[in-house]
Amino acid sequence: MLLRIKNLNVSHSGRHVLRNISTSFETGEIVMIIGENGSGKSTLLKTLAGLIDFDGEIILPNGYSDLSELTGYVFQNPETQIIGSTVWEDVIFGLENIGLSKEEMEKRANYVLELLELDELKFFDPYYLSGGQKQRLAIASILALQPEFLLLDEVTAMLDKNGKREVVQAIVKLKEMGKGVLVATHELNLFLPYVDRCIYIDNGTISFDGNPQDGVKIYKERIHSEFAQRR
Ligand SMILES: Nc1ncnc2c1ncn2[C@@H]1O[C@H](COP(=O)(O)OP(=O)(O)O)[C@@H](O)[C@H]1O
Ligand SMILES: [Mg+2]
């Protein structure tokens, strides 16, 4: 399944934040989205989540009429997303709005909790979970909605080393399930071994789109030379 973007432009309060973005995303691939703070990574993901107005075209796969059916967005801070008073309830809450039978909701909840290795914590209050467990719960609740593409915005930034590792392993599982995964991140070395493609956004435009090793190399060289110039 292919999600294509053509000449995408996004403005925030009259200022162009994304300019002429054209690319496409496929299910079964992990794409790392890199770039300095303020370059437009979150705006790109939020636009693909259907949360922001845009100019240009986003071309959905056959059979889809709305971005919200196709994509699911996960925030940097899992606490902004977790609302249940137990792990189980949190997943169920997300499903209650889409009119599923009780059996279907429970089937999906069991499936995603097992997949993300949270099934033993079903009846725990999310408040007491570790950072990595909370973030896996946030991902599980979104995954239960069965999006084809997951949009993960700096989801490892707030985690300790173990939490980061857990979440990276979960992301690899999503790919193995055939999901498309877009990860905006500053943690280049953490993700590099697992990603299929890298998009480098510089000041609202795509500066590189291709092989992850090359993308990271170009980005690092650019950062170093800017740093040297500032001194
Ligand atoms: N809601 C908003 N209103 C106005 N400007 C915004 C808003 N969100 C982001 N911006 C601006 O858009 C630009 C891109 O931001 P963002 O997409 O968050 O970048 P990144 O995620 O790469 O750090 C920044 O200049 C930021 O200040
Ligand atoms: Mg951001």
Side-chain angles (χ1 to χ4, degrees):
M1 239 181 246
L2 205 61
L3 172 60
R4 286 166 61 207
I5 308 177
K6 259 163 100 175
N7 300 322
L8 182 80
N9 284 278
V10 177
S11 306
H12 280 309
S13 21
R15 206 167 61 81
H16 292 289
V17 173
L18 291 180
R19 278 169 293 150
N20 261 318
I21 302 273
S22 295
T23 187
S24 54
F25 300 101
E26 234 177 306
T27 47
E29 71 169 353
I30 305 178
V31 181
M32 173 162 77
I33 302 184
I34 63 176
E36 288 182 73
N37 281 332
S39 59
K41 303 181 296 297
S42 295
T43 301
L44 176 61
L45 294 186
K46 286 177 183 165
T47 305
L48 292 174
L51 302 172
I52 298 183
D53 287 336
F54 59 91
D55 288 315
E57 279 182 87
I58 298 181
I59 303 157
L60 307 182
N62 284 339
Y64 285 88
S65 56
D66 196 304
L67 272 174
S68 65
E69 302 163 35
L70 187 70
T71 60
Y73 180 88
V74 181
F75 291 88
Q76 171 173 344
N77 181 352
E79 312 213 339
T80 49
Q81 195 162 326
I82 294 172
I83 50 169
S85 57
T86 65
V87 165
W88 175 260
E89 262 180 23
D90 192 68
V91 179
I92 295 290
F93 275 160
L95 295 173
E96 274 174 345
N97 295 323
I98 58 172
L100 301 173
S101 67
K102 189 164 174 279
E103 292 72 40
E104 176 65 15
M105 287 198 286
E106 290 179 355
K107 195 174 130 205
R108 288 197 193 185
N110 277 315
Y111 176 73
V112 295
L113 291 176
E114 197 169 313
L115 189 85
L116 291 166
E117 296 175 28
L118 294 166
D119 40 335
E120 286 175 7
L121 301 170
K122 256 183 217 171
F123 304 113
F124 267 58
D125 182 340
Y127 181 82
Y128 296 104
L129 300 181
S130 71
Q133 289 167 340
K134 280 182 189 161
Q135 195 55 279
R136 282 185 285 138
L137 174 57
I139 294 172
S141 292
I142 294 297
L143 187 63
L145 297 165
Q146 302 188 336
E148 290 300 328
F149 292 90
L150 287 116
L151 313 170
L152 309 180
D153 201 352
E154 311 258 7
V155 289
T156 52
M158 300 178 68
L159 306 180
D160 63 16
K161 215 170 154 189
N162 281 334
K164 288 182 202 295
R165 208 182 50 220
E166 289 167 21
V167 169
V168 170
Q169 282 167 355
I171 290 170
V172 171
K173 275 195 187 170
L174 297 175
K175 170 187 161 151
E176 287 167 357
M177 288 175 74
K179 303 293 180 188
V181 189
L182 281 60
V183 279
T185 187
H186 289 284
E187 295 175 286
L188 310 178
N189 296 336
L190 177 69
F191 283 99
L192 191 55
Y194 306 100
V195 302
D196 301 293
R197 190 152 66 93
C198 169
I199 292 180
Y200 166 23
I201 302 184
D202 185 12
N203 198 13
T205 63
I206 292 186
S207 176
F208 178 91
D209 185 348
N211 174 286
Q213 278 78 19
D214 295 344
V216 165
K217 187 160 169 263
I218 290 169
Y219 175 58
K220 283 184 177 169
E221 281 167 6
R222 193 129 0 133
I223 300 283
H224 287 150
S225 79
E226 274 176 24
F227 181 69
Q229 277 168 20
R230 268 188 230 135
R231 292 165 48 126

